[in-house]
Amino acid sequence: MDKKQREYKIIESALDMFSRKGFYSTTVAQIAKSIGMSVGHFYNFFPSKNSLAKASITFVTKKLADELHKINELNISSKDKIHMFVLSYLDFLEKNPQMIDYFFKVYLANREMFSQDGDSGFELAKAFIDEIEILINSGIESKEFCKKDFYVSFSCITGILGGITFLNGEGVLNKDVNIYAKELSDSIVKALQ
Amino acid sequence: MDKKQREYKIIESALDMFSRKGFYSTTVAQIAKSIGMSVGHFYNFFPSKNSLAKASITFVTKKLADELHKINELNISSKDKIHMFVLSYLDFLEKNPQMIDYFFKVYLANREMFSQDGDSGFELAKAFIDEIEILINSGIESKEFCKKDFYVSFSCITGILGGITFLNGEGVLNKDVNIYAKELSDSIVKALQ
Amino acid sequence: MDKKQREYKIIESALDMFSRKGFYSTTVAQIAKSIGMSVGHFYNFFPSKNSLAKASITFVTKKLADELHKINELNISSKDKIHMFVLSYLDFLEKNPQMIDYFFKVYLANREMFSQDGDSGFELAKAFIDEIEILINSGIESKEFCKKDFYVSFSCITGILGGITFLNGEGVLNKDVNIYAKELSDSIVKALQ
Amino acid sequence: MDKKQREYKIIESALDMFSRKGFYSTTVAQIAKSIGMSVGHFYNFFPSKNSLAKASITFVTKKLADELHKINELNISSKDKIHMFVLSYLDFLEKNPQMIDYFFKVYLANREMFSQDGDSGFELAKAFIDEIEILINSGIESKEFCKKDFYVSFSCITGILGGITFLNGEGVLNKDVNIYAKELSDSIVKALQ
DNA sequence: CATGAATGAGTGTTCATTCAT
DNA sequence: GATGAATGAACACTCATTCAT
């Protein structure tokens, strides 16, 4: 296993633990142990617990951005893109709840952590945000969506998905979150019109 | 100043500090000091730091619930209610950013904290959630909104507002958040239709 | 026991332990334990292990300075003052070897530690150095000593005493260091002439 | 480069780093890196960081002893030998401050380090001490110096030089330390008389 | 009611040393 | 010979909580 793969393993385990117990309640020792690594060796991969948190954010948003990028490349209507993205997101949420939870738990909660030493957290999530922008603009160009302030449109997509994610985290939703897919994507599309 | 008032003072200061520095980076000593109270005395009001966090959530959602309750009582269309709620929320966000930030920072991030000893965080926010439900149902009854799964409708309202709140926290929005009001409420209304 | 007295107790114990085991090999926990105090409480007295080291230097040099000050005030020849100072120093060395050892071990060895945040170690020992200067100048004025570069004269006094202290630390001297007193003070006086 | 030469290279670099940052603040990894050697390989030369410290002490005192040995061999008065030794020492101090600093910083400060496993530090510096003894005894024989307890005479020479070295380390002396040479050697000679 | 001294378990991080390659 | 990945004990420092006064 090469260094990069080990790094992923650490991130994946961290994502899982951070999302379950929170950033501050997860210790470096626990993370290291969870993948059978010594504390000292952990620090050969990440110079600090904080830097692991940052790398994890980038990792998650990169994954989401990749999914969305594939959809953006397709030659289909923007409405369908939204629909596919919702499906893809819910699927991701079902399979990797810890990644999404991590975003909520660690990123939203500890913004001060990410905004020190220059790079704002916004920066870390840039890849994903850029793809959202592409999606919105293509819809506006094709007249499917109405031109609005970017931040409003951004909120319509990520906010509605964020809402359902929050509820999922609360454990009140039906186990099969896919049943919400159609209503959700319809609502998002309407919101953008 | 009676006991209840003191309690509010603690909550208000905690809200401010938690939202700025996060829950784990704010110490009980700091909170106590900020209102000129001794650490020991603090524990006469709240049995633990955790319980203060819970009381603070209830405090914030109660405030939001009250605002929404007033709007729900009015004899106007649901669409107008949404519009008024958005205005009211943005106003609240502008005047009490720490309260909203608190919700994001502490509640979302530390759900494990709230879900121990029985009461889920959802429980704590019940008053607010109930009012949202009333708002949605009245709209469905008046045929202004389309009947959807409650959780989807809930996500449309709180998610979109949550999205703009997130962006506000990132510091990317125009200082006067009210300029987003109309587009936001229009989007929400459409999403609910 | 008031706060100041507790501080002294910490310093005295630290002086003892630092001088026996060195600064880096003595832990805060050990110091705290040695005086029956918890680690946490230690930090109510000194904000850091480093600051304790600094306070200890000041403590020791202040003691030495006080001794020398008393001698400087006497209406006797400078030669006699040197003699008295040597006696007083050897007595101090015999009764408080840890204080002198501390100076050697921690101060000389970790100058980088003391020179950060502005105050050079030299500054910390100022009281003592000033008294040495007074002693030298009074001897020059009374023509008992020859005028030399201050630093050379300073080295003659403190160096020779330092030398014997070093040897004492090596454990090669006779237990009763006072037997060296006369030869030492004669040598110092001659060196200054 | 043969093994012995590598060893010297390690010692020289260690001397430099230890003297600048102290023994405990210099890591084996840093020393190894500074001479382009791997950590593991370092341990093929020295079985421990401690043993490097010891070898370094021997290295430095051997150098000083060699200088002094040459002077002791000369057919000149003891007074002149002292004078030459002071010049030689100050020159050494100017050119190799790290070596002298090392003695102060590491040896004096961490005597406990050197005195474990039998050999006292005094032992390590034996070659140098022996030469000092020869110098003193030759002066006593030629009646230039007065017979005193060896340790007192030893303190007069090494103490006064130690004093000026301390001040040099404090950065208070004139850059050209040679200007103190005459006064220093005169003082030492007088102290020995 | 009110104080703040006191506790001590717990945290992130470091680093001498080992050893498989 | 030479590497550097890997270990894990150890450390300075923090902070929620308690309790004597």
Side-chain angles (χ1 to χ4, degrees), chain C residues 6 38 40-41:
Chain C
R6 292 274 206 144
S38 69
H41 201 29

Side-chain angles (χ1 to χ4, degrees), chain B residues 28-42:
Chain B
V28 171
Q30 284 165 354
I31 295 169
K33 195 180 177 186
S34 76
I35 54 169
M37 178 182 276
S38 72
V39 199
H41 201 28
F42 167 88

Side-chain angles (χ1 to χ4, degrees), chain A residues 86-193:
Chain A
V86 169
L87 281 173
S88 148
Y89 178 81
L90 291 179
D91 186 57
F92 191 85
L93 178 60
E94 200 157 23
K95 290 189 183 130
N96 311 280
Q98 77 284 6
M99 295 206 188
I100 301 297
D101 268 18
Y102 173 76
F103 192 85
F104 269 73
K105 288 222 179 175
V106 181
Y107 180 51
L108 288 186
N110 305 288
R111 233 132 56 180
E112 73 283 1
M113 203 174 76
F114 294 104
S115 52
Q116 64 193 31
D117 27 278
D119 43 18
S120 99
F122 213 61
E123 219 58 42
L124 299 173
K126 193 169 187 320
F128 175 67
I129 295 166
D130 285 350
E131 292 295 333
I132 292 282
E133 188 159 20
I134 290 168
L135 175 57
I136 293 170
N137 287 338
S138 80
I140 294 174
E141 263 171 52
S142 68
K143 314 261 189 207
E144 288 173 83
F145 302 155
C146 170
K147 182 158 178 47
K148 312 188 186 197
D149 184 282
F150 169 64
Y151 295 124
V152 172
S153 300
F154 181 85
S155 296
C156 290
I157 301 176
T158 60
I160 291 179
L161 290 178
I164 207 74
T165 306
F166 164 70
L167 294 167
N168 186 50
E170 289 294 330
V172 297
L173 297 187
N174 187 296
K175 269 204 171 169
D176 178 11
V177 287
N178 282 295
I179 66 169
Y180 305 104
K182 185 155 176 28
E183 284 187 359
L184 280 172
S185 64
D186 282 353
S187 298
I188 291 173
V189 168
K190 279 185 186 150
L192 291 170
Q193 282 166 349

Side-chain angles (χ1 to χ4, degrees), chain B residues 18-19 28 30 50-51 64 72 75-76 80 93 99 102 107 116 119 121 133 141 144 152 155 170 192:
Chain B
F18 285 157
S19 69
V28 171
Q30 284 165 354
N50 255 345
S51 71
L64 286 171
N72 273 337
N75 200 6
I76 57 177
D80 284 348
L93 177 60
M99 296 206 185
Y102 174 76
Y107 180 50
Q116 65 192 34
D119 43 19
E133 189 158 20
E141 265 172 50
E144 289 173 84
V152 172
S155 295
E170 290 292 331
L192 292 170

Side-chain angles (χ1 to χ4, degrees), chain B residues 69-105:
Chain B
H69 183 72
K70 277 185 227 150
I71 293 168
N72 273 337
E73 299 273 89
L74 297 177
N75 200 6
I76 57 177
S77 73
S78 293
K79 193 181 149 178
D80 284 348
K81 284 180 186 171
I82 293 283
H83 190 59
M84 283 192 74
F85 179 52
V86 170
L87 281 172
S88 148
Y89 177 81
L90 292 179
D91 187 56
F92 191 84
L93 177 60
E94 199 158 23
K95 289 189 183 130
N96 310 281
Q98 76 285 7
M99 296 206 185
I100 301 295
D101 269 16
Y102 174 76
F103 192 84
F104 270 73
K105 287 219 180 179

Side-chain angles (χ1 to χ4, degrees), chain A residues 6 37-38 40-41 44:
Chain A
R6 293 274 204 142
M37 179 183 273
S38 70
H41 201 29
N44 286 148

